[in-house]
Amino acid sequence: MNRFARRCAHLARAVLAVATVALAAPLSAQRLLVPMDDAQADHLKAYGVTYNAIKDGLSAEWLLNYRGGSFLLPDLPEMRRRAALAGVSVEPLTDGALSSVRSEMAGANMDAIPLEKAPRIAVYTPLEALPWDDAVTLALKYAGIDYTPVYDDEVMRGDLTKFDWVHLHHEDFTGQLNKFHIGYRDAAWFQDLVRKNQATARKHGFRSVPDLKKEVAERIRAFVENGGFLFAMCGATETLELSVAGARVDIANSFADGSPMDPDADSKMDWRRALAFKDAHLEQSPFVNSMSDIDGHQVNVPGRRQPLGTFTLFNFSAKVDPVSSMLVQSHRSVIPDFYGVTTSFTKQTLKPGDVVLATEEGAPWVKYIHGDYGKGTWTYYGGHDPEDPQHAIGSPPTDLSLHKNSPGYRLILNNVLFPAAKKKPLKT
Amino acid sequence: MGRVARARSAILTMLGAAMLVAAPGAARAQELQDTLVVRALELEASGKYREAIPLFRRAMQGPDPINAVLGFERSLAEVGWQDSLFAPLDSLIARRPQEALLHTIKLRTLEAMGREGPLAEAFEAWVASTPGDPSPYREFARVLLQRGRTSAADSVIRRAQQALGSTKDLQLEVAQLRAALGLWVASAEAWRGALANAAYLDQAAVYALRPTPAPVRDSVRRTFLAPPLDPGARLALAGLEGVWGSAADGWIALKDLPADSASVAAWTEFGSRAEQEGRWLLAREAFGAALRWRRDPALALRAANAAVESGDPQGALALAPLSDAGGDSAAAAQRYVPLHARALALLGRPLVAEQLVQAYDRFFTPGARARLARQVAFGWVRTGDMMRARRALVDAGADGDSSETAGWLALYEGNLKTARLLLRKGGESTPELALALGLVARLPGDSARAVGQAFLTLARGDSARAAGLFEAAAGASPAGASLLLATAAQLRVALRDEAGAVTLWRRIVEQHGASPEAPSAELELARALRRRGEQQEAVARLEHLILTHPTSALVPQARRELELVRQSIPGSSP
C-alpha cells in the first residue's frame, strides 16, 4: 500500500470512528432526506445507502408516500460521503424543516416508519453462472447490499435459519428444469445443469431431482411458516407453490424423474399447504412449455402467449396498511410489464387472503402479490427482469447503471428494506 | 364414318376442347390462388390467424403451393394448432415428393412439437423416397442445429457419411455443428471445405467462429492460412480478425491473395475500413496491393495520403507522382501539390516544397496559398530554420503572416504575446491548438522560452524529448504547471511509458490538487492503477476524485469506474 492509500485508509478509520460518535456531534442540519421522487439521481443506490446505514446501527425512517417514499437518515459526514460516492441525491433538513415535513405527513396519506435492523439476506442461486440473469442479485449488487448465495446443499443443511430474508428467482421447484429439455436438451449448459442437479439429488439420498426440489421447497415453506420473509420472482413463484401443494403427488414428467406425471395429479394437489395459490391446473404435456394455469401470460406457449401491457400499483393507506404501502413505494404508479417463465398470476388461482399489490387493468391476471403465512410473509413478483421485457436465454445481464431510476427494480428493493421496518399493528 | 372413327373424332374433339379450356383454366387457378394468398397474408399481418388459416389451406390446392404452405405453417404455430398441419402437408408431399421444402416444414414442425417418433419416421420416409440425395440429411441437420440439438444433428451427419460416402454436400452443416459443439479447429477445417465451394459463405463462417476462445484462435488462423491459398478462407479470416479485435492481423490473411478483381475489391474494402479507423499503415498497404494489380489515380492519392499519415512521406511521393495528373495543371494544383508539399515538408525539404508551390501559384486561391505556406513553414520549422519559416509566411501575404501558423511560430520562439493574439485565429479545432490556447492563456507574462522549446521539439517529431521539456517547463511556469505536466503525461502515454505517465499524474494530484487538470489526472491515475491490479488504491483515488470535485463533469465516469472496480455491474472483471 503506498503513502496515499495508507493515508486514505487512516482517513477512513478516522471517519468510522467519528461516525460511531456522530449522533453526539451532528452537522448543523439534523437529518438528511433522501428524496425518492424525480429529484433522486439514483433511486436504486438510495436503497443501498439506507440499508447500509441501518446495518451500521444508525437509525433511519421510511417516509411512506412522501416524495415517492423518501428515506430519512442522520446527517453525518459518513452518510454524506456515502451518498456522494454513490451519486445519491440528499437534502439536509433542519429541525424546523423536518417539523414541517412531519406536519405535512400527518395530514395526508403518509406515514413515517422507523427502520431498525437490516435483514440478513440469502439468495437461492447456484454458484455457477447460468445463461440468464437474476434481477435481485443484479439489484443487490448494484445497490451495494451484501447477500449470501445459498443453494440446495445449504438449504438441506438447515442454513435458512441463519437468514431473515430469502429470495428465489428462476428456479423450477418441480425439478423439471423449466422444461428446457424442449429447446435446449443438447445445449452443453443444460446438460451440465442436469448432471449437477442429479449429483446433488444423489448426494442427499433422493431418487430424482424432483424429489430433491420438493424437499427444498418444503424447507422454504417451513422457513416462511416460522417467521421468514420470502420474496420470489419469475418461475420460482409458480413452481414453489406447485411443489408444496404437490408434495405427495408425482407432478414431474418422465424426462425429469423417469415416470410420467400422475394423470390425476390435478385432483390430488393439496392447496391448503400452498402459500398463495389454489385450484390451479397442471400442464400435463411434457412438450408444452408451461407448468400450470397460474401464469396468465404463458410466454413460451405459442397460441396461449399474451401480449405485454402495463401494470398499476395500488395506493394503500400508509397509516392503516404500512406493509403493503412499503412494498409499493415508487415514483411511478404505472410500470411497463415484462415477461418471465411466469409473468403474472391469474386471478382465479389466488387465495382469498392474498393482497394484490399491482394489477393490469381489465386483465384476468395480477402482477405483484403479498400475503402472510404462519409467522412469516411472502411476496411474489411476476416476470424475469423489469428492464429487459423479453429477456431470453443467453441475453447479456442488464447493466443497472443504465437504469438507475427503474421503478420496476425499485419494487424488488422495497422488499429488501421492508423486513427492517419496526412493525406496527394493523389498525383494521 | 364408322363407329371407331366417330369415337376417335369425339375423343379428339374433347381433347381439343379440354386443351382450349385448360390454358385459361390454369391461369384462372393461378389467379385464384394468388388472390387467396394475398388475402390470407393480409389477415395474418393483422394478427387474424384463425381467419387466415382456411384461406392458406385452400390456396395450397393451387399450382404453386409453397407460399401458401409457409403461411399455413406460420399461422397454425401462432394459434397452437400445429397438429392441423400434417394431413394437408402429407397430401402435398405425396403430390410433390421431390419438394425439399415440404419435407423440411414437416421435420421442423415435428421437432418443435417434440414428437420424436413421427420426426424419425418423417426423416426416414424422405430418405427412402430420394435415395442418394443429400437433401434430407442436410435439411434435418439444419433443423436440429437451429434448435440447438447438436448431438442429434451429429447423428444425422454421421448417417449421411455412411449413406452417401462423404459429407462434402453437408460441409456447411458440419462446420456449424462443430462450432456449436465448441470444436473450433474442427469447425474451421469444415468451413475451409465449405468456403472452397462457396466463398460467399465467409460472413457465415465469421458468425459461427466469432466466439472462438482466444487460446484457440491461433489454431483457427493456421487452418485458414494453410496452403493451398483459398480466397474464401482468407476473406473469412480477415473478417474474424476484425471481430476478434485484431484487425491488423486481417491484413496477413489478405495480403497474399492472388491479384484479381475479387481480391482488389477485398483489399480496397479493407483499406477503406482501415482509413476510417485511422489505421494508416494498414490502409496504405491495402491500397498499395490493389494498385499493383490496376493503376487507379484516385486510389493512388488515397494510398499516398495514408502513407503521409503513417509517417512515410517518401512513399507518398512515389505512390502519387505529379505525372498522374497528366497535363491537367489545375487538377495537379488542387489534388497533388498539397500532398507533395506536405510530404516534402515532413521530409525536411521545405525548399523543394516552396518551389513546387510557387510553380503552381497561379492556380491557388488566397486561402489555399496560405495553407500551403503553412506547410512550407512547418517544413522550415522541422529543419530548425525559424527565419525561413517566418519568411515563408510573410511571402504568402497578409493571410500567412497573421495566421494561426504565425501564432505557432511565435509560440515556438516563446513569444506568448503574439501567440495569444494569432492562435485564436485558428479556424480548425485541433487538440494541439486547444492545448496551446489553454497554455498561453494561463501563463503569465509575455515570454516563456522553455515552453516554446517544448512545443518546437514536439513539432519536430521528437515526442520523447518534448515530454521531458514539458515536464521541465512546469517547474519554471507554476501557473501552467499542471497543464504542462498533463501534456507531458499524454506524451508518455503515446510513447507507451505508462509508468512515466503515472508519476506525472500523481504529481498533478498531489501538488496541484486544485488545478483544472487534477480531476482528469486522478481519473487516469485510477484507471492505470486498476489495469495494474492495484484495486485498493484505485478505489481510494476514485473516491477522492468524487468527493473532492463533486461538480466535475468527470464524476459520472469516476462512479462507473468505481462500480467496475467493485464489480457491482455486469462485465466488471477487474
Side-chain angles (χ1 to χ4, degrees):
Chain A
M1 200 191 299
N2 70 12
R3 205 172 44 167
F4 177 77
R6 277 199 303 274
R7 220 164 51 214
C8 285
H10 178 70
L11 191 66
R13 278 195 298 276
V15 164
L16 276 175
V18 169
T20 55
V21 293
L23 282 174
L27 295 183
S28 56
Q30 296 295 306
R31 288 284 187 274
L32 278 182
L33 178 76
V34 184
M36 293 297 275
D37 54 10
D38 286 341
Q40 180 52 258
D42 194 329
H43 287 94
L44 306 187
K45 287 214 164 162
Y47 286 89
V49 168
T50 305
Y51 177 90
N52 286 311
I54 311 165
K55 195 177 161 197
D56 291 346
L58 298 172
S59 63
E61 286 179 66
W62 199 346
L63 308 184
L64 302 185
N65 293 350
Y66 179 76
R67 295 186 59 184
S70 307
F71 300 107
L72 203 57
L73 301 174
D75 189 359
L76 306 174
E78 176 62 8
M79 280 297 101
R80 289 190 181 216
R81 178 182 170 276
R82 287 182 190 176
L85 288 175
V88 171
S89 314
V90 292
E91 298 173 11
L93 283 187
T94 60
D95 287 345
L98 182 57
S99 293
S100 300
V101 170
R102 293 204 191 280
S103 163
E104 182 189 342
M105 291 176 68
N109 179 20
M110 301 178 191
D111 200 6
I113 300 288
L115 298 174
E116 291 191 322
K117 182 173 170 283
R120 295 163 298 170
I121 299 171
V123 176
Y124 177 84
T125 179
L127 281 177
E128 62 270 17
L130 292 168
W132 55 81
D133 64 21
D134 174 339
V136 175
T137 51
L138 287 177
L140 293 175
K141 272 188 191 170
Y142 180 72
I145 296 174
D146 288 339
Y147 65 90
T148 306
V150 297
Y151 203 50
D152 295 332
D153 285 342
E154 289 79 11
V155 175
M156 294 304 295
R157 207 162 54 207
D159 283 0
L160 286 184
T161 53
K162 297 176 185 169
F163 302 97
D164 304 307
W165 190 92
V166 170
H167 159 67
L168 320 169
H169 194 258
H170 199 84
E171 192 67 28
D172 177 359
F173 289 98
T174 70
Q176 299 178 98
L177 295 168
N178 288 293
K179 295 189 176 179
F180 282 142
H181 83 287
I182 297 173
Y184 299 96
R185 75 198 88 168
D186 292 325
W189 65 264
F190 178 73
Q191 291 173 349
D192 189 44
L193 199 61
V194 171
R195 270 194 300 274
K196 283 180 177 154
N197 274 279
Q198 286 172 341
T200 308
R202 278 195 299 274
K203 186 167 90 179
H204 292 286
F206 293 100
R207 188 182 60 87
S208 66
V209 177
D211 288 349
L212 165 71
K213 294 294 178 183
K214 273 184 180 172
E215 180 56 29
V216 170
E218 172 55 26
R219 288 177 182 233
I220 292 169
R221 187 200 65 77
F223 162 78
V224 183
E225 191 172 44
N226 293 325
F229 295 91
L230 174 69
F231 176 65
M233 286 185 74
C234 202
T237 57
E238 182 179 5
T239 58
L240 180 77
E241 295 278 326
L242 296 177
S243 188
V244 167
R248 293 176 192 89
V249 197
D250 184 354
I251 58 170
N253 281 287
S254 55
F255 63 80
D257 63 0
S259 64
M261 186 190 288
D262 184 333
D264 298 322
D266 253 7
S267 61
K268 293 180 182 172
M269 298 289 275
D270 182 0
W271 290 105
R272 287 170 304 178
R273 304 183 78 249
L275 289 77
F277 302 117
K278 64 172 176 60
D279 304 336
H281 298 290
L282 292 155
E283 173 54 60
Q284 294 273 349
S285 170
F287 302 113
V288 173
N289 201 339
S290 164
M291 294 297 174
S292 73
D293 60 355
I294 288 175
D295 177 28
H297 281 76
Q298 303 279 328
V299 65
N300 289 323
V301 189
R304 288 191 207 161
R305 179 183 172 128
Q306 299 298 311
L308 289 176
T310 55
F311 60 91
T312 307
L313 296 171
F314 278 100
N315 186 15
F316 294 94
S317 164
K319 292 186 177 72
V320 175
D321 200 353
V323 170
S324 300
S325 288
M326 279 185 264
L327 293 175
V328 296
Q329 290 302 293
S330 181
H331 53 300
R332 294 284 180 276
S333 58
V334 179
I335 300 172
D337 204 352
F338 51 96
Y339 282 126
V341 292
T342 303
T343 304
S344 56
F345 315 113
T346 46
K347 289 177 181 170
Q348 69 196 25
T349 60
L350 297 183
K351 283 191 172 180
D354 294 356
V355 178
V356 175
L357 302 171
T359 188
E360 183 177 339
E361 203 170 332
W365 54 72
V366 299
K367 181 71 179 176
Y368 184 32
I369 53 178
H370 170 76
D372 295 331
Y373 186 85
K375 296 177 190 166
T377 74
W378 53 267
T379 310
Y380 291 167
Y381 186 19
H384 190 92
D385 182 337
E387 293 299 338
D388 186 0
Q390 309 273 349
H391 188 86
I393 285 175
S395 296
T398 300
D399 181 347
L400 286 183
S401 65
L402 306 174
H403 304 278
K404 299 172 179 180
N405 311 106
S406 166
Y409 267 95
R410 272 197 71 179
L411 300 182
I412 296 172
L413 292 168
N414 284 340
N415 276 275
V416 179
L417 271 193
F418 112 85
K422 185 181 179 184
K423 292 253 183 72
K424 281 187 174 182
L426 207 63
K427 291 180 185 169
T428 49
Chain B
M1 193 184 285
R3 208 171 60 182
V4 173
R6 273 203 307 278
R8 187 180 292 143
S9 170
I11 289 168
L12 284 173
T13 307
M14 282 169 67
L15 274 175
M19 285 172 69
L20 284 172
V21 172
R28 268 202 303 279
Q30 184 66 56
E31 198 178 315
L32 175 64
Q33 185 186 36
D34 291 347
T35 309
L36 285 169
V37 170
V38 168
R39 178 73 192 123
L41 286 171
E42 284 170 358
L43 289 166
E44 186 194 0
S46 56
K48 296 176 179 171
Y49 305 111
R50 286 179 168 83
E51 287 94 325
I53 286 166
L55 298 185
F56 277 130
R57 181 161 185 172
R58 274 180 64 198
M60 283 165 62
Q61 308 306 318
D64 182 9
I66 295 302
N67 282 336
V69 179
L70 290 169
F72 191 54
E73 180 198 15
R74 286 193 304 270
S75 300
L76 289 173
E78 285 294 335
V79 295
W81 295 348
Q82 290 97 321
D83 271 326
S84 303
L85 175 73
F86 299 115
L89 187 60
D90 284 341
S91 304
L92 263 183
I93 289 174
R95 270 165 46 205
R96 298 164 164 260
Q98 302 299 320
E99 195 74 71
L101 183 62
L102 299 176
H103 293 280
T104 305
I105 290 171
K106 185 169 181 183
L107 291 179
R108 69 186 175 211
T109 306
L110 287 168
E111 202 288 332
M113 295 175 75
R115 303 265 174 88
E116 293 295 334
L119 179 66
E121 284 167 22
F123 170 61
E124 297 299 344
W126 189 7
V127 170
S129 69
T130 53
D133 181 0
S135 301
Y137 303 99
R138 187 169 53 232
E139 296 303 324
F140 193 30
R142 273 184 198 171
V143 165
L144 294 168
L145 279 171
Q146 280 164 7
R147 302 282 296 181
R149 297 185 56 189
T150 44
S151 304
D154 193 28
S155 304
V156 172
I157 287 169
R158 282 173 205 274
R159 278 272 312 268
Q161 169 82 43
Q162 287 167 357
L164 307 172
S166 86
T167 53
K168 66 180 173 56
D169 293 312
L170 287 90
Q171 271 168 327
L172 173 61
E173 289 71 29
V174 171
Q176 286 177 325
L177 170 69
R178 289 175 181 170
L181 291 171
L183 304 170
W184 306 108
V185 181
S187 176
E189 284 162 2
W191 275 113
R192 265 210 73 152
L195 289 162
N197 300 320
Y200 61 87
L201 291 173
D202 61 313
Q203 287 307 310
V206 172
Y207 180 78
L209 293 172
R210 184 188 178 128
T212 305
V216 192
R217 288 178 188 168
D218 275 345
S219 302
V220 171
R221 288 184 178 106
R222 277 194 293 277
T223 304
F224 280 125
L225 289 172
L229 191 151
D230 173 47
R234 294 301 182 95
L235 285 171
L237 181 56
L240 275 172
E241 298 288 10
V243 297
W244 288 343
S246 45
D249 293 334
W251 180 240
I252 296 171
L254 293 180
K255 68 185 173 67
D256 296 328
L257 287 178
D260 59 21
S261 59
S263 300
V264 166
W267 290 329
T268 308
E269 191 191 325
F270 183 86
S272 299
R273 210 164 46 233
E275 193 177 45
Q276 282 167 8
E277 293 168 2
R279 296 170 179 270
W280 298 109
L281 203 59
L282 288 174
R284 180 244 159 97
E285 291 239 5
F287 291 145
L291 287 167
R292 279 192 288 280
W293 187 72
R294 188 179 58 201
R295 186 80 194 147
D296 174 352
L299 195 62
L301 263 176
R302 289 171 72 188
N305 184 56
V308 170
E309 293 288 354
S310 63
D312 179 16
Q314 188 68 53
L317 296 176
L319 277 163
L322 280 172
S323 56
D324 272 8
D328 188 348
S329 299
Q334 192 190 350
R335 295 183 208 135
Y336 290 83
V337 172
L339 180 78
H340 277 243
R342 190 173 166 210
L344 289 164
L346 285 170
L347 285 166
R349 295 163 63 193
L351 185 62
V352 184
E354 205 166 54
Q355 287 165 349
L356 177 70
V357 171
Q358 279 165 5
Y360 286 85
D361 186 69
R362 67 199 164 95
F363 294 101
F364 299 132
T365 60
R369 190 173 293 116
R371 278 195 295 277
L372 287 165
R374 279 176 229 151
Q375 298 285 2
V376 173
F378 274 116
W380 289 117
V381 168
R382 289 185 77 83
T383 62
D385 192 339
M386 298 299 284
M387 291 282 285
R388 294 293 294 269
R390 187 164 297 288
R391 197 186 308 153
L393 292 180
V394 171
D395 290 349
D399 274 353
D401 196 27
S402 60
S403 67
E404 171 202 338
T405 310
W408 280 108
L409 295 187
L411 179 61
Y412 297 152
E413 290 165 348
N415 180 351
L416 296 183
K417 188 178 176 185
T418 309
R420 272 186 207 115
L421 188 71
L422 297 179
L423 283 175
R424 287 196 202 109
K425 296 187 172 182
E428 289 175 28
S429 174
T430 61
E432 295 79 16
L433 182 59
L435 169 66
L437 283 169
L439 254 176
V440 296
R442 294 250 300 264
L443 293 177
D446 291 340
S447 171
R449 293 200 66 81
V451 174
Q453 195 60 35
F455 272 105
L456 181 60
T457 308
L458 188 60
R460 286 178 176 168
D462 187 353
S463 45
R465 191 163 160 255
L469 289 173
F470 275 113
E471 194 180 338
S477 312
S482 56
L483 184 52
L484 290 164
L485 290 172
T487 308
Q490 252 181 320
L491 291 171
R492 294 276 173 224
V493 170
L495 292 162
R496 298 179 189 280
D497 174 14
E498 188 167 270
V502 162
T503 307
L504 293 165
W505 288 323
R506 216 183 271 283
R507 218 173 124 188
I508 294 170
V509 174
E510 290 173 0
Q511 296 174 9
H512 307 278
S515 69
E517 286 71 33
S520 63
E522 191 149 34
L523 182 61
E524 290 307 324
L525 176 58
R527 283 175 172 156
L529 291 166
R530 180 172 164 247
R531 280 194 293 275
R532 287 184 188 181
E534 296 175 31
Q535 311 295 6
Q536 202 177 351
E537 201 196 341
V539 167
R541 286 291 173 195
L542 292 165
E543 290 190 352
H544 182 260
L545 162 57
I546 295 167
L547 297 171
T548 316
H549 308 281
T551 56
S552 167
L554 296 176
V555 165
Q557 284 188 53
R559 283 211 183 93
R560 188 164 178 83
E561 287 290 328
L562 200 55
E563 277 156 7
L564 289 167
V565 180
R566 289 177 172 162
Q567 300 185 52
S568 59
I569 54 175
S572 15
S573 52

